[in-house]
Amino acid sequence: MKILFVGRLFSGLETSLLSRNWEPTGAPTVFKVIEALDSSPNEARLVLTCKDGPSSWLEKNDKTIALNGLSTPIRVLSGINAIPTFFGPMRPHLSELRHMCKIWQEARAFQPDVIYLGNANIWSGAFLAHLGKAPVIFRMMGVYPAMRKALQGFRLTHLFLRWCYRAPYAAAICTQDGSGIERWLEAALKPNVDKVAWVNGVDIPPAPDEISPQLQGLPDNKTIVLFIGHLESLKGCDVFLDAVLSALSERPDEIHALMIGTGSRLAALNEKVKNAEQEANVTFINRLPHIQIAEAHRRADIYVSLNRLGNLSNANLEAMRQGQCIILPRAQPYLGIDTVTDYLIPEDAALRIKDADDMAGLASAIANLHESPARRKAQAKALAEAAQKFVPSWDDRIENEITLLEHIATGNPVASFSEHSNA
């Protein structure tokens, strides 16, 4: 069986391609599918496209790269650098057209039984679904504001994207991240397109042989409140820190904030801590290996997520699977955001605040949980039991995806596939 995989060149894959050693980071669904295709008996062709945005991939020419750790080479299609600068603001659009032509050529040369193509290459997916011979599987990582806007706007790009979404795909596979994919899929795709949504997998690593000195330095006589994510305003880092500082003002030296991540707000957050004279009660760690992240969860008493676009992210699933006491924003039913999260996580398994901007509510929630270790323990136990039911291992999660690809390639309807959707 021949499978054509077309994905975006994520930053976590760039380092592997530049070093010629397969050591991917980030976007685990993408690199784990690549690894599964590479090790399967199927014949796979792997294509990654360089898109707009910050990138260390500066090649002007397309390259086919063999990597240590993968038996299948990866074809990388260069991005905007392949388009002459005199085209000015048209360069991104011309880059997309170029990718579309190149992917079409790959499909014609390879003659795949099925094409698996991500949302970043939606132009190519639509044309292959309309004009190609092989069934096309449309792969989405979640729903973003721009995708919702595309269904409502009347700019030429919005109209074209709507045409792309309405292509005759064989199926759509979507990561169930709580972003409201159910409503979007029904509105954007044709009714007869089979739609499958799965929560991502989690593999909890064992305790590290050597614990990071920064984690070892955490106090053991205070309630540790954990935040993991990019230190950007939209990710809630300011709300989190303000809430912790507010709780500390009422309970001096009883609470300690651990913030893991880096971003443009790091200096400002440090300044806030300094001005509040709370340096002894806040720890910033820029980066930690995954095995140390799991240890951070073990050492934390409370985990806070302030995701605005859905709270079934990889980081949150790991916290849930480890049975952490967690604080989440309530669902946004008008957008469908986190309605499935509320369905999967019982009311007694997480403490909900009004929304991601509810600083006062978060400060109160932190203080209340700090005062009640028994409630923290009960909530963590209930969450671990719930997560056990809906969070699979990564092996099971990726096996489902590859099996579904093979299922469609052989002409079987998705409805007869044995594994049901989480949506």
Side-chain angles (χ1 to χ4, degrees):
M1 190 175 302
K2 299 166 74 173
I3 300 173
L4 174 59
F5 172 98
V6 183
R8 179 174 187 160
L9 178 58
F10 289 101
S11 59
L13 303 179
E14 288 177 359
T15 52
S16 290
L17 292 161
L18 291 168
S19 69
R20 304 302 197 262
N21 293 305
W22 183 247
E23 298 174 338
T25 59
T29 311
V30 175
F31 75 72
K32 287 179 182 294
V33 167
I34 289 175
E35 291 171 348
L37 290 174
D38 180 65
S39 61
S40 79
N42 300 305
E43 182 182 356
R45 182 164 294 190
L46 307 176
V47 178
L48 297 176
T49 58
C50 184
K51 299 296 183 181
D52 292 342
S55 175
S56 56
W57 190 263
L58 304 177
E59 298 286 347
K60 291 184 178 180
N61 300 318
D62 303 331
K63 290 184 175 292
T64 300
I65 300 173
L67 295 92
N68 296 321
L70 282 184
S71 59
T72 308
I74 295 180
R75 180 71 170 163
V76 182
L77 303 183
S78 294
I80 198 171
N81 288 327
I83 308 299
T85 56
F86 62 75
F87 283 106
M90 289 298 296
R91 292 175 76 204
H93 301 295
L94 292 175
S95 179
E96 287 293 337
L97 285 172
R98 179 178 174 276
H99 285 167
M100 189 174 67
C101 293
K102 292 288 185 177
I103 293 167
W104 178 265
Q105 290 172 1
E106 292 284 344
R108 291 198 63 181
F110 187 50
Q111 293 293 303
D113 297 298
V114 66
I115 299 171
Y116 175 100
L117 188 142
N119 185 49
N121 292 288
I122 184 67
W123 292 23
S124 300
F127 276 92
L128 285 166
H130 277 291
L131 303 175
K133 297 179 181 179
V136 176
I137 296 176
F138 176 41
R139 182 66 172 87
M140 296 170 49
M141 305 293 282
V143 176
Y144 303 96
M147 296 169 68
R148 288 193 175 91
K149 189 175 181 180
L151 299 188
Q152 301 169 350
F154 293 96
R155 295 172 57 185
L156 185 59
T157 52
H158 296 149
L159 298 174
F160 179 66
L161 279 173
R162 288 206 285 275
W163 177 83
C164 290
Y165 294 142
R166 302 289 287 183
Y169 301 111
I173 302 176
C174 190
T175 297
Q176 178 54 276
D177 61 354
S179 59
I181 58 171
E182 305 84 0
R183 186 178 301 179
W184 189 91
L185 287 170
E186 291 301 321
L189 274 57
K190 283 181 174 292
N192 62 343
V193 173
D194 289 307
K195 305 164 185 71
V196 179
W198 282 311
V199 169
N200 273 344
V202 167
D203 295 325
I204 303 299
D209 293 332
E210 294 186 13
I211 297 171
S212 164
Q214 293 163 298
L215 295 179
Q216 288 184 10
L218 294 172
D220 55 12
N221 60 343
K222 299 179 183 180
T223 298
I224 307 297
V225 187
L226 175 62
F227 175 94
I228 300 175
H230 295 297
L231 301 185
E232 307 291 344
S233 295
L234 286 175
K235 298 296 184 178
C237 60
D238 289 87
V239 174
F240 172 83
L241 183 57
D242 290 343
V244 170
L245 295 178
S246 176
L248 274 167
S249 68
E250 300 295 328
R251 294 158 180 81
D253 294 324
E254 296 180 15
I255 296 168
H256 191 96
L258 172 59
M259 301 187 72
I260 301 175
T262 188
S264 65
R265 293 293 299 163
L266 179 58
L269 295 174
N270 269 297
E271 189 67 19
K272 279 187 181 184
V273 173
K274 183 179 179 181
N275 291 339
E277 299 181 346
Q278 293 288 359
E279 293 97 324
N281 291 315
V282 181
T283 296
F284 291 98
I285 302 178
N286 287 352
R287 291 180 179 85
L288 282 177
H290 188 241
I291 194 170
Q292 300 288 348
I293 292 287
E295 183 62 26
H297 281 297
R298 294 185 188 100
R299 289 176 175 249
D301 300 292
I302 303 168
Y303 173 77
V304 176
S305 173
L306 297 173
N307 290 349
R308 300 168 186 274
L309 301 181
N311 281 279
L312 294 177
S313 65
N314 291 330
N316 286 4
L317 293 176
E318 291 177 3
M320 295 171 188
R321 195 67 178 79
Q322 285 189 248
Q324 188 119 52
C325 174
I326 191 169
I327 300 173
L328 299 170
R330 290 198 174 277
Q332 304 170 54
Y334 58 97
L335 292 174
I337 293 175
D338 280 328
T339 53
V340 72
T341 308
D342 281 0
Y343 170 77
L344 293 171
I345 299 176
E347 189 69 24
D348 67 343
L351 199 161
R352 271 91 165 180
I353 58 175
K354 183 177 65 175
D355 54 44
D357 294 312
D358 183 13
M359 190 280 289
L362 178 57
S364 176
I366 291 171
N368 289 339
L369 289 172
H370 161 69
E371 297 287 354
S372 179
R375 182 179 179 184
R376 294 202 305 265
K377 184 177 180 180
Q379 187 174 299
K381 182 175 183 291
L383 184 58
E385 291 173 351
Q388 179 76 30
K389 298 175 184 177
F390 71 85
V391 182
S393 70
W394 269 118
D395 282 347
D396 289 343
R397 171 66 181 79
I398 298 302
E399 182 182 355
N400 279 346
E401 195 140 346
I402 300 302
T403 302
L404 185 54
L405 289 180
E406 296 170 342
H407 200 74
I408 293 172
T410 54
N412 291 305
V414 174
S416 63
F417 183 59
S418 61
E419 294 295 331
H420 64 275
S421 166
N422 288 110

